[in-house]
Amino acid sequence: MSNLTGDSTVSSSRRGRGRVVGVPSQCWCGVAVVEKISKSDFNPYRRYYRCSYAATHKLENDNHIFKWVDEALLNEIDKLGAQIRKIEEAMEKIEHGREEIEKMMFESLKMKLENEILERVEDALLESKANTRNMMICGVIGCVLMIGLVKLLG
Ligand SMILES: [Zn+2]
């Protein structure tokens, strides 16, 4: 008879014993989970989590939560590891994004600077051109005046 009920409750057995990942806080039956110490010959003094209902009623071969503490803690460490990897990936993305933004800002700053320098160089060139032209005009006027003076004196 117990075999029959076992067969008909395959889904709940999946829900109970095997499927729990990490430290269980509550059994699927709704009661809390307690921490016990094994007294079996196979696992002496090994700690385990157990549905408190199943523990107080000393149920055996049932579907209520049973989970070795060390395995549960390993699950938790795995979960933490996965979380850390996720965080690291997110951080890498953020870092990459920041680098992109910095690169863009640097590029635009460089372009701005280049434009400014170009403008200044052009201004300076224009100014120097104007200066040389002025000097040339002065020189020409000077020459004309000199020639005029020489002609006047001569
Ligand atoms: Zn239970």
Side-chain angles (χ1 to χ4, degrees):
M1 198 61 193
S2 67
N3 267 345
L4 265 176
T5 51
D7 286 339
S8 65
T9 52
V10 172
S11 59
S12 69
S13 95
R14 284 218 188 104
R15 209 154 42 122
R17 267 186 113 107
R19 219 190 61 135
V20 198
V21 177
V23 176
S25 57
Q26 203 182 39
C27 182
W28 56 265
C29 70
V31 306
V33 167
V34 288
E35 198 182 315
K36 308 279 274 178
I37 296 171
S38 167
K39 288 164 193 135
S40 73
D41 292 337
F42 278 126
N43 296 291
Y45 303 111
R46 195 177 178 190
R47 287 170 182 273
Y48 63 94
Y49 296 112
R50 187 75 168 119
C51 166
S52 60
Y53 171 82
T56 46
H57 290 79
K58 298 200 188 307
L59 297 182
E60 274 175 45
N61 297 321
D62 56 284
N63 297 324
H64 294 270
I65 285 235
F66 174 92
K67 178 95 184 175
W68 295 114
V69 168
D70 51 322
E71 280 174 7
L73 292 181
L74 276 177
N75 289 162
E76 293 294 332
I77 289 166
D78 283 348
K79 265 200 269 182
L80 278 178
Q83 273 170 357
I84 287 167
R85 272 195 297 280
K86 262 187 207 165
I87 290 166
E88 275 173 354
E89 272 169 30
M91 294 276 282
E92 251 169 53
K93 268 183 203 163
I94 290 167
E95 187 68 24
H96 186 70
R98 213 186 64 190
E99 268 171 26
E100 287 286 305
I101 289 166
E102 273 174 6
K103 222 161 83 182
M104 271 164 62
M105 278 171 72
F106 179 73
E107 285 293 319
S108 72
L109 200 77
K110 211 174 85 182
M111 268 174 67
K112 224 171 110 182
L113 265 175
E114 275 173 0
N115 280 342
E116 241 169 64
I117 287 166
L118 222 80
E119 266 171 33
R120 276 194 200 161
V121 168
E122 269 174 11
D123 279 357
L125 272 174
L126 278 175
E127 230 171 79
S128 73
K129 259 188 199 165
N131 279 345
T132 47
R133 207 174 56 196
N134 283 349
M135 273 169 73
M136 270 171 73
I137 289 166
C138 282
V140 168
I141 290 168
C143 279
V144 169
L145 279 176
M146 284 276 277
I147 292 162
L149 269 174
V150 168
K151 276 194 179 167
L152 270 176
L153 290 171

